[in-house]
Amino acid sequence: MTERQSSFSYEDLIDSSEGRMWGPENAQLPAPPMLMMDRITHIDEDGGEYGKGHIVAELDINKDLWFFDCHFKGDPVMPGCLGLDAMWQLVGFFLCWKGNPGKGRALGVGEVKFKGEIKPDTQLVRYVIDLKRVIQRKLIMAIGDGRVEADGKTIYTAKDLRVGLFKPGEMA
């Protein structure tokens, strides 16, 4: 099983999106095209800025990605909300990787700042999450800070990304 695995291939991420990683009753990553990463290069439970966990994932950019055709015509740019969603996806993945049950749901974010763009000529997007708090009681939730890098330059930051895991009917 994948409990202590520290990196995940694209095929592993597809297994998660199809419910094969932790079972269909537990959290799954979105399927393509909403799966916003090609691999998780590192995940641990005691690293990062706060010592509560660290995740690094990557997305290879090419001009044929679906969002460049429609956002915006003649001025293609990856929607910022997709980078934000990728960070939420990773926080939820972390909770499942830690062995917690339930379906993942984004619960909010404290602050988001955009200071750059992902264009068709960008080559590599890197997502970095530092977990600040991990709650694993009746409430299962993680809070982390994240950043999105385009070709090594930080272009988005997000503070207090919150994701919870819920059993059916728990979240109203």
Side-chain angles (χ1 to χ4, degrees), residues 12-40:
D12 294 329
L13 302 181
I14 295 299
D15 282 347
S16 171
S17 78
E18 294 179 355
R20 292 191 297 259
M21 187 167 284
W22 293 293
E25 70 283 354
N26 291 314
Q28 300 166 222
L29 286 169
M34 282 303 298
L35 177 62
M36 295 311 304
M37 63 205 73
D38 290 319
R39 65 200 145 272
I40 295 173

Side-chain angles (χ1 to χ4, degrees), residues 52 94-95 98 131-136 141-143:
K52 306 274 184 177
F94 179 84
L95 285 170
K98 293 264 299 171
L131 282 299
K132 297 168 78 166
R133 187 162 181 213
V134 180
I135 302 165
Q136 299 176 106
M141 183 175 79
I143 303 169

Side-chain angles (χ1 to χ4, degrees), residues 12-126:
D12 294 329
L13 302 181
I14 295 299
D15 282 347
S16 171
S17 78
E18 294 179 355
R20 292 191 297 259
M21 187 167 284
W22 293 293
E25 70 283 354
N26 291 314
Q28 300 166 222
L29 286 169
M34 282 303 298
L35 177 62
M36 295 311 304
M37 63 205 73
D38 290 319
R39 65 200 145 272
I40 295 173
T41 60
H42 180 80
I43 185 170
D44 70 56
E45 63 183 318
D46 53 13
E49 184 178 342
Y50 307 101
K52 306 274 184 177
H54 185 70
I55 314 164
V56 179
E58 295 176 340
L59 173 66
D60 299 318
I61 298 295
N62 71 68
K63 64 180 177 55
D64 297 323
L65 287 170
W66 66 273
F67 43 79
F68 288 134
D69 263 349
C70 55
H71 189 269
F72 299 96
K73 293 281 185 188
D75 181 24
V77 60
M78 179 177 159
C81 60
L82 294 180
L84 180 60
D85 197 69
M87 291 187 279
W88 277 319
Q89 290 175 22
L90 287 165
V91 174
F93 187 92
F94 179 84
L95 285 170
C96 289
W97 176 81
K98 293 264 299 171
N100 294 293
K103 298 280 188 179
R105 296 295 183 261
L107 298 175
V109 62
E111 175 182 284
V112 178
K113 291 184 181 178
F114 299 102
K115 49 188 170 184
E117 298 178 314
I118 298 167
K119 305 283 275 173
D121 63 346
T122 303
Q123 298 200 348
L124 181 69
V125 171
R126 181 172 288 119

